[in-house]
C-alpha cells in the first residue's frame, strides 16, 4: 500500500476494482485543518474523467502499468495482432480495447500499449499518422457550400474532412486524437 505522497502524474490507481490514471494532482495545505491532495483521474477503460480528493497520508492502491512499444501486424477478426519490438512476442488485443485507434492503424505501424499484469489496457498511437486518400469526390472550383471541405475516405476505411483541392491518391497527415486533416505530405 502506498500513500498520497506517492501520487504523481501518469500513475495508475486501483479504486473499487477499476483502474484510474492520474492526469493532474495538487497538494493543498490550507491555513486551518489538515492537508489534502486534490486529483483529476481518468478511467483507463472508459475514458471518463472525475475529480477526487484524498486526505494527506491516506492509503491508496498504485497499480503497476507497463507501457511498451509494439508493431501492429494485422487484424484477425475481432482481434488486432501486435508484436513486441523488444522480444518479438505477439499479443492479441480485442477490438474494444483498441477502440477508435483502429481508424488510424496501418500494418507495421509503431504504437505503445499499456499492460497491467499482462493484460492490454489501451493502445496509444502517435499524435499524427500519414494516410493515403483512397476515394474523394472531385472538388469544383467556386463550390463553397460546404465551407471549403469535402468528405474523403483514407486507406483504413475511415472518413475525414479535407479541403476541396485534395484528390484521390494524395497522402495526408491526420491527427489521431480528433481525426482532423493536418495537411498534405509530399
Amino acid at each position: 500500500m502506498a500513500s498520497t505522497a506517492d501520487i504523481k502524474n501518469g500513475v495508475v490507481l486501483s479504486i473499487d476494482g477499476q483502474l484510474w490514471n492520474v492526469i493532474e494532482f495538487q497538494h493543498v495545505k490550507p491555513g486551518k485543518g489538515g492537508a489534502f491532495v486534490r486529483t483529476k483521474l481518468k478511467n483507463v477503460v472508459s475514458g471518463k474523467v472525475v475529480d477526487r480528493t484524498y486526505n494527506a497520508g491516506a492509503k491508496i492502491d498504485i497499480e503497476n502499468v507497463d507501457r511498451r512499444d509494439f508493431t501492429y501486424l494485422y487484424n484477425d477478426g475481432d482481434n488486432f495482432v501486435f508484436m513486441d519490438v523488444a522480444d518479438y512476442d505477439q499479443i492479441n488485443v480485442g477490438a474494444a480495447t483498441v477502440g477508435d485507434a483502429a481508424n488510424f492503424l496501418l500494418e507495421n505501424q509503431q504504437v505503445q500499449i499499456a499492460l497491467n499484469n499482462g493484460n492490454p489496457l489501451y493502445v496509444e498511437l502517435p499524435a499524427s499518422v500519414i494516410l493515403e486518400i483512397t476515394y474523394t469526390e472531385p472538388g469544383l472550383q467556386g463550390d463553397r457550400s460546404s465551407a471549403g471541405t469535402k468528405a474523403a475516405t483514407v486507406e483504413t476505411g475511415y472518413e475525414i474532412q479535407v479541403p476541396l483541392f485534395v484528390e484521390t491518391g494524395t497522402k495526408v497527415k491526420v491527427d489521431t486524437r480528433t481525426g482532423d486533416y493536418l495537411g498534405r505530405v509530399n
Side-chain angles (χ1 to χ4, degrees), residues 162-177:
V162 297
L164 293 173
F165 59 81
V166 175
E167 299 171 355
T168 301
T170 305
K171 289 195 180 279
V172 295
K173 188 181 252 189
V174 180
D175 188 327
T176 58
R177 295 164 297 211

Side-chain angles (χ1 to χ4, degrees), residues 116-176:
N116 175 262
N117 299 328
N119 298 324
L121 300 174
Y122 57 88
V123 176
E124 212 170 275
L125 292 173
S128 64
V129 293
I130 296 171
L131 300 170
E132 186 176 333
I133 302 290
T134 56
Y135 176 77
T136 186
E137 296 288 333
L140 300 173
Q141 188 62 30
D143 176 19
R144 293 289 180 256
S145 63
S146 60
T149 63
K150 62 183 177 179
T153 305
V154 294
E155 56 190 305
T156 60
Y158 188 64
E159 194 171 280
I160 62 171
Q161 292 294 317
V162 297
L164 293 173
F165 59 81
V166 175
E167 299 171 355
T168 301
T170 305
K171 289 195 180 279
V172 295
K173 188 181 252 189
V174 180
D175 188 327
T176 58

Side-chain angles (χ1 to χ4, degrees), residues 2-3 6-7 9 42 50 65 71 79 83 92 96 117 121 125 130-131 138 160 162 172 179:
S3 74
D6 299 316
I7 292 179
N9 289 346
K42 180 178 181 182
V50 297
V65 173
T71 301
N79 290 320
M83 179 182 68
N92 291 337
N117 299 328
L121 300 174
L125 292 173
I130 296 171
L131 300 170
I160 62 171
V162 297
V172 295

